[in-house]
PDB file of all heavy atoms in Angstrom:
ATOM      1  N   GLN A 132     104.562 169.825 189.805  1.00 88.00           N
ATOM      2  CA  GLN A 132     105.794 170.602 189.728  1.00 88.00           C
ATOM      3  C   GLN A 132     106.627 170.146 188.543  1.00 88.00           C
ATOM      4  O   GLN A 132     106.384 169.090 187.961  1.00 88.00           O
ATOM      5  CB  GLN A 132     106.600 170.452 191.020  1.00 88.00           C
ATOM      6  CG  GLN A 132     105.874 170.912 192.257  1.00 88.00           C
ATOM      7  CD  GLN A 132     106.697 170.678 193.522  1.00 88.00           C
ATOM      8  OE1 GLN A 132     107.818 170.203 193.457  1.00 88.00           O
ATOM      9  NE2 GLN A 132     106.124 171.007 194.668  1.00 88.00           N
ATOM     10  N   ARG A 133     107.598 170.962 188.215  1.00 86.00           N
ATOM     11  CA  ARG A 133     108.481 170.651 187.103  1.00 86.00           C
ATOM     12  C   ARG A 133     109.093 169.261 187.277  1.00 86.00           C
ATOM     13  O   ARG A 133     109.605 168.915 188.332  1.00 86.00           O
ATOM     14  CB  ARG A 133     109.590 171.697 187.021  1.00 86.00           C
ATOM     15  CG  ARG A 133     110.510 171.531 185.838  1.00 86.00           C
ATOM     16  CD  ARG A 133     111.447 172.705 185.740  1.00 86.00           C
ATOM     17  NE  ARG A 133     112.227 172.631 184.527  1.00 86.00           N
ATOM     18  CZ  ARG A 133     112.929 173.628 184.019  1.00 86.00           C
ATOM     19  NH1 ARG A 133     112.943 174.791 184.630  1.00 86.00           N
ATOM     20  NH2 ARG A 133     113.634 173.476 182.918  1.00 86.00           N
ATOM     21  N   GLY A 134     109.031 168.467 186.202  1.00 84.00           N
ATOM     22  CA  GLY A 134     109.576 167.117 186.237  1.00 84.00           C
ATOM     23  C   GLY A 134     108.573 166.050 186.594  1.00 84.00           C
ATOM     24  O   GLY A 134     108.847 164.854 186.405  1.00 84.00           O
ATOM     25  N   ASP A 135     107.388 166.435 187.103  1.00 89.00           N
ATOM     26  CA  ASP A 135     106.369 165.446 187.460  1.00 89.00           C
ATOM     27  C   ASP A 135     105.829 164.756 186.206  1.00 89.00           C
ATOM     28  O   ASP A 135     105.718 165.361 185.131  1.00 89.00           O
ATOM     29  CB  ASP A 135     105.205 166.107 188.199  1.00 89.00           C
ATOM     30  CG  ASP A 135     105.532 166.392 189.657  1.00 89.00           C
ATOM     31  OD1 ASP A 135     106.588 165.945 190.120  1.00 89.00           O
ATOM     32  OD2 ASP A 135     104.719 167.062 190.321  1.00 89.00           O
ATOM     33  N   GLN A 136     105.462 163.489 186.367  1.00 91.00           N
ATOM     34  CA  GLN A 136     104.826 162.724 185.305  1.00 91.00           C
ATOM     35  C   GLN A 136     103.315 162.740 185.517  1.00 91.00           C
ATOM     36  O   GLN A 136     102.846 162.401 186.608  1.00 91.00           O
ATOM     37  CB  GLN A 136     105.320 161.289 185.295  1.00 91.00           C
ATOM     38  CG  GLN A 136     106.804 161.147 185.044  1.00 91.00           C
ATOM     39  CD  GLN A 136     107.192 161.623 183.661  1.00 91.00           C
ATOM     40  OE1 GLN A 136     107.882 162.621 183.546  1.00 91.00           O
ATOM     41  NE2 GLN A 136     106.765 160.946 182.641  1.00 91.00           N
ATOM     42  N   LEU A 137     102.572 163.135 184.480  1.00 94.00           N
ATOM     43  CA  LEU A 137     101.121 163.236 184.579  1.00 94.00           C
ATOM     44  C   LEU A 137     100.448 162.281 183.602  1.00 94.00           C
ATOM     45  O   LEU A 137     100.973 162.007 182.520  1.00 94.00           O
ATOM     46  CB  LEU A 137     100.665 164.667 184.272  1.00 94.00           C
ATOM     47  CG  LEU A 137     101.317 165.797 185.085  1.00 94.00           C
ATOM     48  CD1 LEU A 137     100.736 167.134 184.655  1.00 94.00           C
ATOM     49  CD2 LEU A 137     101.139 165.576 186.579  1.00 94.00           C
ATOM     50  N   LEU A 138      99.282 161.775 184.007  1.00 94.00           N
ATOM     51  CA  LEU A 138      98.428 161.004 183.110  1.00 94.00           C
ATOM     52  C   LEU A 138      97.420 161.952 182.489  1.00 94.00           C
ATOM     53  O   LEU A 138      96.776 162.734 183.188  1.00 94.00           O
ATOM     54  CB  LEU A 138      97.712 159.897 183.884  1.00 94.00           C
ATOM     55  CG  LEU A 138      98.608 158.896 184.622  1.00 94.00           C
ATOM     56  CD1 LEU A 138      97.754 157.936 185.443  1.00 94.00           C
ATOM     57  CD2 LEU A 138      99.489 158.139 183.653  1.00 94.00           C
ATOM     58  N   VAL A 139      97.293 161.899 181.169  1.00 95.00           N
ATOM     59  CA  VAL A 139      96.374 162.782 180.440  1.00 95.00           C
ATOM     60  C   VAL A 139      95.211 161.942 179.931  1.00 95.00           C
ATOM     61  O   VAL A 139      95.411 160.933 179.250  1.00 95.00           O
ATOM     62  CB  VAL A 139      97.091 163.461 179.258  1.00 95.00           C
ATOM     63  CG1 VAL A 139      96.144 164.443 178.557  1.00 95.00           C
ATOM     64  CG2 VAL A 139      98.360 164.180 179.729  1.00 95.00           C
ATOM     65  N   SER A 140      93.996 162.354 180.267  1.00 93.00           N
ATOM     66  CA  SER A 140      92.826 161.581 179.851  1.00 93.00           C
ATOM     67  C   SER A 140      91.650 162.513 179.590  1.00 93.00           C
ATOM     68  O   SER A 140      91.685 163.692 179.922  1.00 93.00           O
ATOM     69  CB  SER A 140      92.445 160.556 180.926  1.00 93.00           C
ATOM     70  OG  SER A 140      91.943 161.210 182.079  1.00 93.00           O
ATOM     71  N   ALA A 141      90.619 161.918 179.013  1.00 91.00           N
ATOM     72  CA  ALA A 141      89.369 162.652 178.808  1.00 91.00           C
ATOM     73  C   ALA A 141      88.403 162.385 179.957  1.00 91.00           C
ATOM     74  O   ALA A 141      87.212 162.665 179.846  1.00 91.00           O
ATOM     75  CB  ALA A 141      88.729 162.249 177.487  1.00 91.00           C
ATOM     76  N   GLY A 142      88.923 161.856 181.066  1.00 87.00           N
ATOM     77  CA  GLY A 142      88.075 161.628 182.227  1.00 87.00           C
ATOM     78  C   GLY A 142      88.404 160.371 182.986  1.00 87.00           C
ATOM     79  O   GLY A 142      88.122 160.275 184.183  1.00 87.00           O
ATOM     80  N   ASP A 143      88.984 159.360 182.308  1.00 90.00           N
ATOM     81  CA  ASP A 143      89.298 158.100 182.963  1.00 90.00           C
ATOM     82  C   ASP A 143      90.801 157.845 182.877  1.00 90.00           C
ATOM     83  O   ASP A 143      91.290 157.285 181.894  1.00 90.00           O
ATOM     84  CB  ASP A 143      88.542 156.946 182.307  1.00 90.00           C
ATOM     85  CG  ASP A 143      88.832 155.613 182.979  1.00 90.00           C
ATOM     86  OD1 ASP A 143      89.478 155.613 184.042  1.00 90.00           O
ATOM     87  OD2 ASP A 143      88.415 154.569 182.435  1.00 90.00           O
ATOM     88  N   PRO A 144      91.574 158.236 183.890  1.00 92.00           N
ATOM     89  CA  PRO A 144      93.033 158.074 183.822  1.00 92.00           C
ATOM     90  C   PRO A 144      93.486 156.627 183.767  1.00 92.00           C
ATOM     91  O   PRO A 144      94.560 156.333 183.250  1.00 92.00           O
ATOM     92  CB  PRO A 144      93.513 158.758 185.110  1.00 92.00           C
ATOM     93  CG  PRO A 144      92.339 158.726 186.027  1.00 92.00           C
ATOM     94  CD  PRO A 144      91.137 158.853 185.154  1.00 92.00           C
ATOM     95  N   LEU A 145      92.669 155.689 184.267  1.00 90.00           N
ATOM     96  CA  LEU A 145      93.070 154.285 184.255  1.00 90.00           C
ATOM     97  C   LEU A 145      93.099 153.708 182.846  1.00 90.00           C
ATOM     98  O   LEU A 145      93.796 152.719 182.599  1.00 90.00           O
ATOM     99  CB  LEU A 145      92.118 153.466 185.135  1.00 90.00           C
ATOM    100  CG  LEU A 145      92.236 153.718 186.642  1.00 90.00           C
ATOM    101  CD1 LEU A 145      91.125 153.006 187.384  1.00 90.00           C
ATOM    102  CD2 LEU A 145      93.595 153.268 187.152  1.00 90.00           C
ATOM    103  N   SER A 146      92.353 154.299 181.943  1.00 87.00           N
ATOM    104  CA  SER A 146      92.344 153.812 180.561  1.00 87.00           C
ATOM    105  C   SER A 146      93.217 154.669 179.653  1.00 87.00           C
ATOM    106  O   SER A 146      93.282 154.446 178.446  1.00 87.00           O
ATOM    107  CB  SER A 146      90.909 153.802 180.017  1.00 87.00           C
ATOM    108  OG  SER A 146      90.382 155.122 179.968  1.00 87.00           O
ATOM    109  N   SER A 147      93.915 155.654 180.232  1.00 81.00           N
ATOM    110  CA  SER A 147      94.721 156.569 179.420  1.00 81.00           C
ATOM    111  C   SER A 147      96.048 155.941 179.035  1.00 81.00           C
ATOM    112  O   SER A 147      96.679 155.226 179.828  1.00 81.00           O
ATOM    113  CB  SER A 147      94.978 157.864 180.178  1.00 81.00           C
ATOM    114  OG  SER A 147      95.887 158.682 179.465  1.00 81.00           O
ATOM    115  N   THR A 148      96.466 156.212 177.810  1.00 81.00           N
ATOM    116  CA  THR A 148      97.792 155.790 177.350  1.00 81.00           C
ATOM    117  C   THR A 148      98.692 156.997 177.117  1.00 81.00           C
ATOM    118  O   THR A 148      99.816 156.850 176.646  1.00 81.00           O
ATOM    119  CB  THR A 148      97.680 154.987 176.043  1.00 81.00           C
ATOM    120  OG1 THR A 148      97.037 155.786 175.039  1.00 81.00           O
ATOM    121  CG2 THR A 148      96.892 153.709 176.260  1.00 81.00           C
ATOM    122  N   LEU A 149      98.189 158.195 177.446  1.00 91.00           N
ATOM    123  CA  LEU A 149      98.956 159.414 177.245  1.00 91.00           C
ATOM    124  C   LEU A 149      99.593 159.865 178.554  1.00 91.00           C
ATOM    125  O   LEU A 149      98.961 159.828 179.610  1.00 91.00           O
ATOM    126  CB  LEU A 149      98.065 160.534 176.705  1.00 91.00           C
ATOM    127  CG  LEU A 149      97.527 160.381 175.273  1.00 91.00           C
ATOM    128  CD1 LEU A 149      96.553 161.509 174.957  1.00 91.00           C
ATOM    129  CD2 LEU A 149      98.670 160.368 174.275  1.00 91.00           C
ATOM    130  N   SER A 150     100.829 160.296 178.467  1.00 90.00           N
ATOM    131  CA  SER A 150     101.509 160.850 179.635  1.00 90.00           C
ATOM    132  C   SER A 150     102.188 162.149 179.246  1.00 90.00           C
ATOM    133  O   SER A 150     102.438 162.415 178.072  1.00 90.00           O
ATOM    134  CB  SER A 150     102.534 159.864 180.190  1.00 90.00           C
ATOM    135  OG  SER A 150     103.557 159.626 179.244  1.00 90.00           O
ATOM    136  N   ALA A 151     102.467 162.965 180.249  1.00 93.00           N
ATOM    137  CA  ALA A 151     103.092 164.261 180.025  1.00 93.00           C
ATOM    138  C   ALA A 151     104.084 164.535 181.142  1.00 93.00           C
ATOM    139  O   ALA A 151     103.866 164.129 182.285  1.00 93.00           O
ATOM    140  CB  ALA A 151     102.034 165.365 179.962  1.00 93.00           C
TER     141      ALA A 151
END
Side-chain angles (χ1 to χ4, degrees):
Q132 300 177 2
R133 184 172 187 166
D135 282 352
Q136 298 295 113
L137 306 180
L138 302 175
V139 183
S140 69
D143 181 9
L145 290 172
S146 63
S147 173
T148 58
L149 291 174
S150 64

